[in-house]
Amino acid sequence: MSTSLVSVAGRFSVFIAVSLITFIAILYCVTRHRTQRPRTLTVMAVASVVVVGGMVFAKLGNNAGLAWWIYYTVPALTTLLLPPIVFKFHRKELLQYLVLAFLSSPVIHVVFSFLFDWHEYMPFIRVPSLQSLLA
């Protein structure tokens, strides 16, 4: 295995881990005012399907030559539909969830692009790295 392949696989794993932690935090944040909090196992299962499943599907779909609207739309629909259905979000929770879920990916992309010069997370949004700005 070449070092560049290891690097790409390593970065993808880091992106998944950070996205998973972020998404779990979003789910707990959105449901924080409930008297009965969602079960941890349910949160982990939904987050795994949405984040890990969505990112792997997008990566494999892109590598397999699927049309972009398939490998972006399927994970996006999973993100939009699965948590609100499983957790039965109330109107306020749904609004908070949608805002946070849509903002999280670009924020993660900007942080990794700017600090580490990693641009694979959302390659269609170009963010200069700190290193390139200081050079």
Side-chain angles (χ1 to χ4, degrees), residues 51-91:
V51 175
V52 179
M55 289 180 74
V56 169
F57 180 84
K59 184 74 153 175
L60 294 176
N62 182 26
N63 292 345
L66 290 178
W68 69 267
W69 58 269
I70 295 173
Y71 66 79
Y72 274 117
T73 304
V74 170
L77 286 175
T78 304
T79 302
L80 288 175
L81 299 175
L82 187 62
I85 291 169
V86 170
F87 298 111
K88 297 176 177 65
F89 289 155
H90 304 287
R91 188 176 304 231

Side-chain angles (χ1 to χ4, degrees), residues 9 14 20 22 32 34 45 50 54 57 63 76-77 83 92 94 98 100 107 116 131:
V14 170
L20 188 60
T22 302
R32 71 188 177 278
R34 291 184 175 189
V50 170
F57 180 84
N63 292 345
L77 286 175
K92 184 178 177 182
L94 179 61
L98 293 174
L100 293 172
V107 168
F116 303 111
Q131 181 181 9

Side-chain angles (χ1 to χ4, degrees), residues 105-116:
S105 290
V107 168
I108 291 169
H109 171 69
V110 167
V111 168
F112 278 98
S113 295
F114 185 72
L115 295 179
F116 303 111

Side-chain angles (χ1 to χ4, degrees), residues 15-73:
F15 287 138
I16 286 177
V18 170
S19 300
L20 188 60
I21 291 166
T22 302
F23 194 76
I24 290 167
I26 288 170
L27 292 176
Y28 279 124
C29 176
V30 168
T31 59
R32 71 188 177 278
H33 295 298
R34 291 184 175 189
T35 54
Q36 187 172 10
R37 302 284 298 244
R39 292 180 51 221
T40 301
L41 183 61
T42 306
V43 170
M44 298 303 171
V46 169
S48 295
V49 169
V50 170
V51 175
V52 179
M55 289 180 74
V56 169
F57 180 84
K59 184 74 153 175
L60 294 176
N62 182 26
N63 292 345
L66 290 178
W68 69 267
W69 58 269
I70 295 173
Y71 66 79
Y72 274 117
T73 304

